[in-house]
Amino acid sequence: MSRPRATLGKDLTGLESLSREQIEAVLDTAEPFKEISERRLRQVPVLRGQTIVNLFFEPSTRTRISFEFAEKRLAADAVNIGARRSSVSKGETLVDTARNLEAMRIDMVVIRHWSAGAAAFLAARIPSNVINAGDGAHEHPTQGLLDMLTLRDHFGRLEGLKVCIVGDVLHSRVARSNIFGLTRVGAEVAVCGPRTLMPAGVEDLGVRLFRRVEEAIEWADALNVLRLQMERMQDGFVPSLREYNRVFGVTRRRLEWAPRDLLILHPGPMNRGVEIDSDVADGPHSVILRQVTNGVAIRMAVLYLLSGGAPEGAEAAKAGAGA
Amino acid sequence: MKKRTLIRGGRVIDPGAALDRTADLLVEDGRILAVAPNLAPDHAEVVDARGLVVAPGFVDPHAHLCEPGWERRETIATGARAGAAGGYTAICAMPDTDPVVDDPASVGFVVAAGRRAGGAKVVPAAAVSAGREGKRLTEFGELLEAGAVALTDAGRPVRSSMLMRLALEYAQSFGVPILSHPEDAALARGGVMHEGVVSTRLGLRGKPAVAEEIGAARDLALAGATGGRLHLQRVSTAATVALLRRAKERGVRVTAEVTPHHLLFSHEAVDGYGTEYKVDPPLRTHEDAEALVAALADGTIDCIATDHAPRTYDEKEQAFEDAPFGVVGLETAFAILHTRLVRSGRIPLATLLERLSTGPARALALPGGCLSAGERADLVLIDPEARWTIRPERFLSNCRNTPFGGEAATGRVVRTLIDGERAWEAPATRPEAKRPGTGAQSPRGRS
């Protein structure tokens, strides 16, 4: 594409503040990066010499590894800092931790933090690029983008697509990023789950609310099934995981009633037999592993764009000309 | 010779006496001697108050002075001086200190520190329950004898309805109110802002409005059933206002307060995660704020409380969920409410002054709130036209956690007199004092 496209600015803290053009720019930029992961030599020197810190205040395996792969495939130097190993546990504040890293001269921080707003807080206080890898129950923008990329791969479009997010929307940053991102690009979004796990005023975000998963299945083109954490039962939001599966679980039998084949997404890690059954998760319409693959490409695209790369330069970068 | 001060030619507004006219006010030995036009006493220091409003000093029914235990946030001395700078002549200090003010010695400590402070009079509220743990009543009689004026678990609801009933009953022997934080603790637990579409967007745990409504309904029902005196702290929702109005209509002995921030902001202010908007109870909806202003105007809400809650820079310089609740308010309450509510025509000046002085003094039986002859001379001189900018770096409070920093205000307390002595004078006021050597000092060192 020849016309200049909007890029991301300094940080990616959430999808709510992005325009449709910005979101599409990331998705388009991810396309050429997908192919790099399929090669024998899975690296382009786009970020060679850049230092990226993965600052994880919460345990995470898949998101952290996905970012790490993305960083390595762009030839950046990446350092992982987990909350337990860092001085955070010694009472150092988030700002001091970041400023200390900054003093060692870094280019980007990928942050996962338990507090909503932590990424924006950091972004406002340090000159490095900040990427939100999940802040409390607020946003997980790269997950939202990779879900959108996976949907676009399959359907060829996002506008007018009917996507229902099923499960614990109340505590889910994945749900929020999907709602903000998908509504921004013109998809129709619904949420479904027990009312105890639906946040107040969720319909005011421009989404439909289904009280029964059967209604969602009848309506949707795709289901994004959220993980139900065990703590939700302990905290009393649902009486039991067994009943959750019976009433809200995405099962093969329920899907058989669907008027069309539904695409099945899940951000992982899955609780098989709770929110999703294995024959659905591993079934022909599941794109759950495709999401994981796309996650690396999306994160490469975000890193590339934040480092100052132009969307139209990604093709060239893929060919190795970005060196 | 008796010491006399003549405050000449001001617009004297004494809400308690429904007085609003140009007059002179004569102070002798710390008391008001006369309020009348054209007084001509011998040998009085004359203060030219032409163009100024002369009103009773403000009375804060709810401030956290943080001492003992949290002196980095505030001390009784800094809080009392900050109060004087905001026009306050009396402050009710909350007992949520460390240790909790729940025994006569602690009350005595606050009273003594207040006397030394050289600012607003500090009158302690003591805890309802030992350690604010909600288990057993404190010794109300001894606490009041030591100088406490009210009882409250400050910032915590008394969870047990039985204990709240006992408190409302037991306090009747002493004629003091129970100050309640109306909240259903289970519903509010973990919430950091108002539950609604903004909390949903931001991914923050909400406190639903119904948590306050349930707490208020319970406390009003208990006050009605026991005949005890109840004061609802920091009313924040339209539903609570409606309950309060009905309770007053049926004769429940209840008073209520509201803060400037709940009158002026809604939960949209939290968008952007600014910790200067993290307050408890949380900022509610625009409709709630409108209902609060209306209730303040018609007297359903009796008084304005600052809920002055100093927090250090480091405490507030955190992600929203990790930062503590609270804003400072003593040095901004009048100016900001005058600017935003009086200048905009939403409430009359006399009403604002009543809710800042006479209303709270009456609700909690605090000193001040009246300009009648014979009363202590606790009063303020206000320049209603003064334009100034709120500069937190000039606060006398130890802390600067305010949402009003940098705001242009119209109207300012230019002088605060406590027992007739000058406790505060705004910098760069008009030249006026005709006689030097009154002994009062202007606390301008930090400005």
Side-chain angles (χ1 to χ4, degrees):
Chain A
M1 199 173 279
S2 59
R3 74 189 163 89
R5 304 266 305 257
T7 46
L8 292 177
K10 183 173 99 62
D11 311 297
L12 178 65
T13 58
L15 300 189
E16 191 182 13
S17 57
L18 295 192
S19 66
R20 179 174 185 152
E21 289 69 32
Q22 285 174 309
I23 291 171
E24 285 171 352
V26 180
L27 300 183
D28 294 347
T29 305
E31 291 294 343
F33 284 129
K34 277 185 197 168
E35 197 198 306
I36 291 164
S37 297
E38 306 301 331
R39 294 182 190 166
R40 215 177 123 75
L41 188 63
R42 296 187 186 87
Q43 197 182 61
V44 286
V46 168
L47 295 183
R48 177 172 288 160
Q50 299 228 16
T51 308
I52 302 176
V53 173
N54 300 318
L55 185 57
F56 278 64
F57 292 88
E58 261 185 1
S60 157
T61 307
R62 46 183 67 214
T63 300
R64 186 176 53 77
I65 290 174
S66 180
F67 267 107
E68 255 184 88
F69 275 130
E71 289 152 2
K72 287 185 193 325
R73 285 172 193 178
L74 295 176
D77 294 320
V79 178
N80 291 315
I81 301 177
R84 279 183 193 82
R85 274 178 289 146
S86 82
S87 49
V88 172
S89 48
K90 297 175 201 154
E92 190 175 72
T93 65
L94 173 56
V95 186
D96 282 337
T97 304
R99 287 191 180 139
N100 274 288
L101 293 170
E102 195 81 40
M104 290 182 241
R105 304 291 177 255
I106 58 167
D107 299 289
M108 293 192 197
V109 177
V110 176
I111 179 177
R112 158 76 59 97
H113 198 277
W114 60 77
S115 282
F121 176 88
L122 190 65
R125 284 161 180 80
I126 62 171
S128 303
N129 308 107
V130 173
I131 301 171
N132 183 4
D135 60 331
H138 178 223
E139 283 223 48
H140 191 352
T142 55
Q143 179 73 44
L145 289 164
L146 75 89
D147 290 344
M148 292 165 77
L149 183 64
T150 307
L151 288 164
R152 199 177 73 168
D153 282 352
H154 183 85
F155 292 99
R157 67 186 165 95
L158 290 170
E159 180 147 12
L161 200 64
K162 292 176 173 170
V163 182
C164 185
I165 302 160
V166 183
D168 182 5
V169 176
L170 179 63
H171 300 95
S172 175
R173 50 195 171 213
V174 175
R176 284 172 181 76
S177 284
N178 267 277
I179 290 169
F180 296 140
L182 284 166
T183 53
R184 185 58 47 86
V185 300
E188 289 183 58
V189 182
V191 293
C192 176
R195 196 67 183 88
T196 52
L197 293 174
M198 294 295 123
V202 67
E203 287 146 299
D204 295 337
L205 301 182
V207 304
R208 300 170 70 119
L209 178 65
F210 291 115
R211 289 172 199 282
R212 299 197 58 86
V213 74
E214 292 81 3
E215 295 166 6
I217 286 168
E218 197 174 321
W219 173 83
D221 298 313
L223 298 183
N224 198 341
V225 186
L226 301 174
R227 172 182 170 78
L228 186 79
Q229 291 184 317
M230 301 295 172
E231 304 95 78
R232 303 307 168 222
M233 190 177 74
Q234 284 144 24
D235 294 344
F237 288 98
V238 292
S240 73
L241 299 184
R242 189 183 55 79
E243 177 165 285
Y244 185 87
N245 181 255
R246 284 188 60 151
V247 182
F248 296 99
V250 177
T251 61
R252 185 174 52 84
R253 181 157 298 172
R254 283 211 166 89
L255 290 177
E256 280 167 1
W257 290 91
R260 62 191 86 82
D261 289 334
L262 267 70
L263 200 70
I264 303 296
L265 296 88
H266 190 299
M270 288 183 280
N271 287 318
R272 291 171 182 262
V274 182
E275 72 270 4
I276 192 164
D277 279 1
S278 284
D279 46 10
V280 176
D282 305 333
H285 304 297
S286 164
V287 286
I288 295 171
L289 291 175
R290 184 76 214 167
Q291 289 173 270
V292 177
T293 308
N294 279 345
V296 178
I298 279 290
R299 288 168 182 128
M300 289 169 80
V302 169
L303 292 165
Y304 168 77
L305 291 173
L306 286 179
S307 77
E312 52 277 19
E315 276 293 338
K318 183 183 77 177
Chain B
M1 192 190 297
K2 288 185 171 176
K3 193 178 148 212
R4 290 177 159 183
T5 307
L6 182 69
I7 297 163
R8 177 180 281 165
R11 176 183 168 195
V12 179
I13 301 181
D14 182 6
L19 177 78
D20 182 352
R21 67 168 182 183
T22 302
D24 299 346
L25 188 148
L26 181 63
V27 175
E28 183 179 88
D29 283 353
R31 288 188 185 272
I32 296 167
L33 196 64
V35 182
N38 307 317
L39 292 172
D42 302 330
H43 63 264
E45 178 203 4
V46 176
V47 177
D48 182 1
R50 283 174 299 175
L52 303 181
V53 170
V54 181
F58 306 147
V59 175
D60 190 355
H62 189 151
H64 301 268
L65 301 187
C66 308
E67 188 183 357
W70 299 90
E71 292 83 357
R72 265 170 51 75
R73 290 175 169 179
E74 196 80 289
T75 64
I76 290 167
T78 56
R81 289 201 288 269
Y88 284 89
T89 54
I91 295 173
C92 185
M94 291 298 114
D96 56 338
T97 47
D98 185 15
V100 172
V101 176
D102 63 359
D103 60 23
S106 300
V107 173
F109 169 81
V110 176
V111 170
R115 288 214 180 103
R116 286 194 304 271
K121 295 170 182 173
V122 176
V123 278
V128 167
S129 67
R132 299 166 62 230
E133 286 171 355
K135 294 191 180 125
R136 57 184 177 83
L137 295 182
T138 53
E139 293 154 323
F140 290 7
E142 293 191 3
L143 293 166
L144 298 166
E145 209 168 282
V149 295
L151 298 148
T152 177
D153 274 353
R156 278 188 202 164
V158 175
R159 289 190 194 204
S160 155
S161 301
M162 185 62 192
L163 193 74
M164 189 64 177
R165 172 193 168 160
L166 293 173
L168 285 162
E169 289 175 340
Y170 191 58
Q172 288 175 51
S173 295
F174 312 102
V176 295
I178 303 295
L179 321 184
S180 124
H181 173 61
E183 186 172 88
D184 183 286
L187 280 172
R189 193 178 63 202
V192 296
M193 70 171 295
H194 174 64
E195 182 183 279
V197 68
V198 181
S199 68
T200 291
R201 276 182 44 231
L202 297 179
L204 292 171
R205 176 100 64 107
K207 276 192 179 190
V210 72
E212 177 174 303
E213 187 181 353
I214 289 171
R218 184 200 72 167
D219 290 348
L220 289 165
L222 286 171
T226 60
R229 271 183 66 196
L230 175 71
H231 176 78
L232 292 181
Q233 296 183 303
R234 307 180 299 189
V235 170
S236 74
T237 75
T240 307
V241 166
L243 288 169
L244 181 62
R245 193 169 276 136
R246 281 203 293 279
K248 286 189 162 187
E249 281 164 8
R250 65 170 198 270
V252 176
R253 299 172 72 202
V254 59
T255 52
E257 65 183 39
V258 66
T259 72
H261 41 277
H262 289 106
L263 291 165
L264 300 178
F265 295 121
S266 69
H267 62 153
E268 279 87 4
V270 179
D271 201 352
Y273 298 102
T275 57
E276 67 273 32
Y277 297 101
K278 183 172 177 180
V279 290
D280 186 34
L283 302 172
R284 303 291 186 181
T285 66
H286 180 68
E287 291 70 30
D288 288 313
E290 294 282 302
L292 295 172
V293 172
L296 184 73
D298 71 19
T300 302
I301 292 175
D302 304 83
C303 55
I304 292 158
T306 65
D307 188 17
H308 182 77
R311 303 291 180 253
T312 66
Y313 174 82
D314 294 330
E315 288 179 292
K316 281 290 194 180
E317 180 69 355
Q318 298 192 72
F320 192 88
E321 287 178 276
D322 304 324
F325 293 105
V327 295
V328 291
L330 287 167
E331 294 174 76
T332 51
F334 169 77
I336 209 71
L337 292 172
H338 183 259
T339 304
R340 296 233 202 146
L341 294 183
V342 176
R343 301 279 299 185
S344 65
R346 296 177 70 198
I347 63 171
L349 174 62
T351 302
L352 174 63
L353 294 174
E354 201 277 342
R355 306 294 185 261
L356 282 167
S357 61
T358 316
R362 191 179 292 145
L364 267 60
L366 296 169
C370 182
L371 294 181
S372 303
E375 295 290 332
R376 305 298 309 183
D378 294 343
L379 52 92
V380 286
L381 273 55
I382 294 162
D383 182 348
E385 302 299 328
R387 290 174 186 278
W388 62 297
T389 303
I390 294 171
R391 299 222 180 277
E393 64 274 18
R394 294 185 184 169
F395 283 172
L396 300 190
S397 169
N398 270 350
C399 290
R400 295 158 186 185
N401 51 305
T402 174
F404 301 115
E407 188 136 328
T410 303
R412 184 170 201 181
V413 173
V414 294
R415 188 181 291 207
T416 305
L417 272 71
I418 296 173
D419 289 331
E421 297 289 335
R422 193 183 327 188
W424 158 259
E425 185 172 4
T429 49
R430 296 123 34 112
E432 50 187 349
K434 299 267 168 57
R435 223 175 57 170
T438 57
Q441 59 180 20
S442 167
R444 291 168 63 174
R446 289 172 51 132
S447 59

